[in-house]
Amino acid sequence: MTYSLYAEQTVAAPIERVFDFFTDLNTLVQLTPPFVRLRILSTETKIWGPGQRLEYEIRPFVLPLRWVSEITEFDPPFRFTDEQVKGPYRRWRHVHHFYPLSTGTLIADDVTYEIPFGFLGRIVHRIVIRRQLDAIFAFRRMRVERYLG
């Protein structure tokens, strides 16, 4: 089963600054809640284009999980997409959209994902995973507002 998550917010910053902010991997750490315990394993700290692979470690529970994603689309300063190559999901695709506005930038996140383990995965999604994702994006929204206004 495919799930989706959509979030958007407007910030009073120019699109170029917003895009630069989101393509810095150090920013990802700042935008991720502490309970995820994100650690960047990649040596590069900047997203630069298609084909680039990024490696992380997360610990949302007790055991560490390795997550490898690939940048599959890169259209500065309007969009980039990362897709999971290896990680906790059966499939994860996150499109980061940036739209210029007269008052700043609209940030839109469009995520589609699938959970492994069939029926059991659907239950875990309903009880745990969706709530965690909602909490992650709520935290992210607060941090983006803090850093970009």
Side-chain angles (χ1 to χ4, degrees), residues 21-107:
F21 179 77
F22 276 92
T23 55
D24 182 337
L25 292 183
N26 295 312
T27 298
L28 181 59
V29 174
Q30 295 169 359
L31 299 181
T32 304
F35 77 82
V36 176
R37 296 189 293 198
L38 172 71
R39 192 167 64 114
I40 307 291
L41 301 176
S42 297
T43 56
E44 297 170 324
T45 59
K46 192 74 176 160
I47 296 172
W48 47 259
Q52 181 182 13
R53 291 214 170 178
L54 307 169
E55 198 168 332
Y56 320 95
E57 179 183 271
I58 59 173
R59 282 184 187 244
F61 305 109
V62 178
L63 299 174
L65 298 170
R66 182 154 278 172
W67 187 323
V68 179
S69 63
E70 182 173 328
I71 303 303
T72 56
E73 296 178 296
F74 193 74
D75 182 20
F78 305 105
R79 182 182 72 237
F80 71 92
T81 302
D82 61 89
E83 296 188 49
Q84 176 188 282
V85 174
K86 178 183 178 187
Y89 295 90
R90 174 175 285 151
R91 186 172 77 82
W92 174 275
R93 182 174 193 264
H94 184 175
V95 183
H96 307 254
H97 295 277
F98 307 96
Y99 301 98
L101 304 171
S102 61
T103 57
T105 304
L106 172 66
I107 302 163

Side-chain angles (χ1 to χ4, degrees), residues 1-5 89-93 111-115 125 129-131 133-134:
M1 175 173 227
T2 300
Y3 300 97
S4 63
L5 184 150
Y89 295 90
R90 174 175 285 151
R91 186 172 77 82
W92 174 275
R93 182 174 193 264
V111 180
T112 54
Y113 61 99
E114 294 176 15
I115 306 295
H125 178 263
I129 295 170
R130 185 56 188 227
R131 289 183 180 145
L133 290 175
D134 288 342

